[in-house]
Amino acid sequence: MSDKKPILEFKDIHVEVEGKEVVKGVSMTINPGEIHAIMGKNGSGKSSLSNALMGHPSYTITKGEAYLKGESILDMEADERSRAGLFLAFQYPLAIPGVTVANFMRAALKSHRGADADMSDFRKLFKAAMTDLSVDQSFATRYINDGFSGGEKKRIEVLQMSMLNPAMALLDETDSGVDIDAIKIVSEGINRYQSENNGVLMVTHYQRLLNYVKPDKVHVMMDGKFVLTGGPELALKLEESGYEWLNEEKTGV
Amino acid sequence: MSESLKKQNLELSKLNEDYESKYGFHDPVDYFHKGAKGINHEVVEMISKMKKEPKWMAEIRHEALEVFYKKEMPKWGNDHILNEIDFDDIYYFMKPIDAQKDNWDDVPEYIKKTFDKLGIPEAEKKFLGGVSAQYESEVVYHSMQEDLVKKGIIFLDMDSALREYPEIVREHFGSVIPMTDNKFAALNTAVWSGGSFIYVPKGVDVGIPLQAYFRINAENMGQFERTLIIADEGAKLHYIEGCTAPVYSTNSLHTAVVELKAMDDAYIRYTTIQNWSRNIYNLVTKRASAYKNSTIEWVDGNLGSRLTMKYPCVQLLGECAKGEILSVAFAGVDQHQDAGAKMIHAAPNTSSRITSKSISKDNGRATYRGMVKIHKNATGAKVSVECDALLIGEDARSDTYPTMEIDNDQVRVEHEARVSKVAEEQLFYLTSRGLTEDEARLLIVNGFMEPFTKELPLEYAVELNRLIELDMEGSIG
């Protein structure tokens, strides 16, 4: 029996960036085992929402509530949210010169396990995760995201997710800047991670990732609000017809 | 991932917050000899007499003192701090014990304790071929492994070298850095005491590093060691120096002169971990002459001192000679690290690389001051200069003053300079993975230093990371 409490639940979230409101009251409930997708055009507020939920200091949540496994997260710093089980795969992962992928991953895993935790299994886990995501072993000693291609960066993001095994994964445009082979690899990684006990929220402009990772629900975001929620068929319709018909529907023209 | 990297990462870093408890102690000492403060010809004469030097050296000293009087203070670097120096308020010569020891048991207890605390005997046992420990003006302990002696390697303190090999010293002393080079080189030449002398015979590879450790103990002390290293044709050598001093309210002066000579096909690496307390003016002249096919590498870490002005130099005098300068500076509260590099290309097909990395934190200030000179005859010279500065906090400061003088158009020159702040985006990326903000900042700083730390012997790399960790503790980003 899986836990019946929602993995992630947020209500009436408003987000401000540099004094401007970019998310204007959105709500969602993600139950264990569910995959949700937020679709929307650039500038619709979907990336701002995921950054704000993760605790980015430039994205201020001015109103609303957010709970991870029933626990309020809005007073937590980003690192506390991470250790509580929230994960964000970045749209633009940052390079940290001089810090190897292995050292970075070890530090991250250790922060989750606690300072005195036994890390003797790290090497094995890390190697297995690299193999799963077709990441060459040489990446272990490369500096994180330094000179990586788009596809390599996204694979390393999913690798981090699989190793930290969070309760709730936010995937921000994990399909952007990635060729079709990499999309397949990344999708397999997401599907491997996904289980009855965790939640996935994919934020994407395009439908193509959703061909490989099947969402239970699709939310369409425009101008900081969810304007429509439906099943996977909604994603297909957006792919065929674009976002314009929604504009008309919303404004009643 | 190697064990060493793991270890470095575990000991992740915070610079010098525990300096006072770890290195900042001082010993109450009855000095064998402690002259009066101030500098004049009598002081110079006294030093020379106590050392029972040959007359020619005494003459060099007196001449250099006149040069010191005449030379003006440098007008660059940080003349505000430089002009704080009161040359009349400094002890120029302090002799802690009557004679140098080559047996650790014979070293007086208080000095032994000092070097024990600093981990010198331990390092000697573990990975060094020879050790020299200087306390105030003179080397108090010196030893070298038997098999290195058998290979004909000479590793002595400079005073002993002058007694035992006066002709070699006379030939090379001041041949790379003349007394007229600058005011502080003149001062060193006038009152020098201690330092290392190394001669590696033709074709001999020393194999394991030789190390010297310099300790200032007294207040208002001036330490003026003089180092001369000669690697004869095809010889190879790695020399390491470290230094610390107690924390006092008044300042002390450290003014060294270091001359290196790499003859044809020779190789010298000179590694410095400068960790003086923040009441030391560190004004050092370091220069190397590289002959045909030889290689000189300066690996220069500056963590301590109030003001450091130091620009290691390689004169590429023989065809295909190579020079490399890798320097790191960490400027914390009230510190100014004015460090840099000089490459003089004076022969064809010479190549050089300068990599400078600086971190400024709080109101600390780091300056890169560099000079690359390519003479007319240096056809085919290759130069690469890379300067990277990292700022932590709003008040930190970094300046870059690169100078290039190129008198030959058949050369390849690359120059890159970057200043970056520990960015909020990088911090967010790391904290979103569970690292605290302090851990994240530390990881970024360690990563920035990595090209430097990976060049150090493991023991030093671990120590350096630990020092950085201490200094980073509770820093405001």
Side-chain angles (χ1 to χ4, degrees), chain A residues 205-224:
Chain A
H205 189 134
Y206 302 105
Q207 128 85 17
R208 54 182 195 162
L209 181 64
L210 309 185
N211 289 335
Y212 301 97
V213 184
K214 291 274 176 249
D216 299 296
K217 274 187 185 164
V218 174
H219 312 258
V220 182
M221 196 166 189
M222 284 179 75
D223 191 27

Side-chain angles (χ1 to χ4, degrees), chain B residues 108-211:
Chain B
E109 203 55 37
Y110 68 92
I111 294 179
K112 228 168 21 188
K113 258 196 207 153
T114 295
F115 287 115
D116 265 336
K117 273 191 209 172
L118 299 170
I120 310 302
E122 209 184 316
E124 182 189 352
K125 269 181 239 139
K126 273 199 281 189
F127 69 104
L128 295 170
V131 163
S132 176
Q134 178 157 347
Y135 193 89
E136 316 293 24
S137 299
E138 294 203 337
V139 171
V140 292
Y141 169 69
H142 188 93
S143 83
M144 186 165 66
Q145 283 181 10
E146 201 53 45
D147 58 320
L148 298 185
V149 180
K150 280 184 192 142
K151 283 182 186 172
I153 298 162
I154 304 169
F155 175 29
L156 288 171
D157 68 286
M158 197 64 181
D159 299 278
S160 303
L162 182 57
R163 277 192 304 273
E164 294 176 31
Y165 302 95
E167 288 318 307
I168 306 183
V169 173
R170 191 170 189 176
E171 184 187 341
H172 297 283
F173 187 95
S175 67
V176 184
I177 302 171
M179 65 172 82
T180 49
D181 191 80
N182 65 72
K183 189 173 180 74
F184 293 97
L187 180 61
N188 174 282
T189 307
V191 296
W192 73 267
S193 183
S196 298
F197 172 83
I198 299 174
Y199 172 79
V200 185
K202 281 183 190 173
V204 172
D205 180 352
V206 181
I208 42 178
L210 303 176
Q211 175 171 348

Side-chain angles (χ1 to χ4, degrees), chain A residues 51 54-58 77-79 82-83 86-90 93-100 102-104 106-112 122-123 141 143-145 157 160 164, chain B residues 1-10 12 357 388 418 423-440 442-451 454:
Chain A
N51 274 306
M54 193 67 234
H56 193 301
S58 304
E77 300 291 336
D79 58 308
S82 166
R83 295 194 298 271
L86 189 63
F87 180 87
L88 171 64
F90 280 51
L94 276 288
I96 320 275
V99 177
T100 63
N103 276 356
F104 169 68
R106 166 180 280 273
L109 193 61
K110 202 174 170 72
S111 76
H112 280 250
F122 173 77
R123 224 184 155 84
T141 51
Y143 300 151
I144 184 93
N145 296 320
E157 290 295 288
Q160 293 172 44
L164 295 176
Chain B
M1 184 170 45
S2 70
E3 279 304 312
S4 63
L5 277 174
K6 275 188 214 165
K7 198 171 170 198
Q8 279 185 38
N9 229 35
L10 285 175
L12 275 175
K357 294 196 151 273
D388 248 339
R418 278 185 297 271
E424 193 181 56
E425 292 294 330
Q426 283 182 325
L427 283 178
F428 176 59
Y429 187 58
L430 294 174
T431 55
S432 81
R433 300 303 185 242
L435 279 73
T436 64
E437 206 171 305
D438 279 350
E439 288 166 346
L442 193 55
L443 200 61
I444 293 167
V445 168
N446 272 349
F448 181 81
M449 298 275 272
E450 206 264 354
K454 78 175 178 201

Side-chain angles (χ1 to χ4, degrees), chain B residues 37-49:
Chain B
K37 282 179 179 174
I39 174 85
N40 49 50
H41 282 285
E42 285 79 69
V43 170
V44 167
E45 192 59 30
M46 177 275 294
I47 292 171
S48 190
K49 284 237 164 70

Side-chain angles (χ1 to χ4, degrees), chain B residues 224-276:
Chain B
F224 303 94
E225 89 266 12
R226 181 94 191 189
T227 289
L228 173 61
I229 298 176
I230 302 154
D232 213 331
E233 289 170 24
K236 284 186 182 167
L237 151 83
H238 184 189
Y239 177 83
I240 303 172
E241 65 171 0
C243 43
T244 55
V247 175
Y248 288 118
S249 53
T250 60
N251 298 323
S252 291
L253 176 63
H254 175 250
T255 293
V257 166
V258 175
E259 299 176 286
L260 311 185
K261 281 186 157 178
M263 310 316 280
D264 293 359
D265 304 308
Y267 168 91
I268 302 177
R269 170 176 282 207
Y270 193 109
T271 298
T272 305
I273 304 291
Q274 180 270 102
N275 194 21
W276 294 115

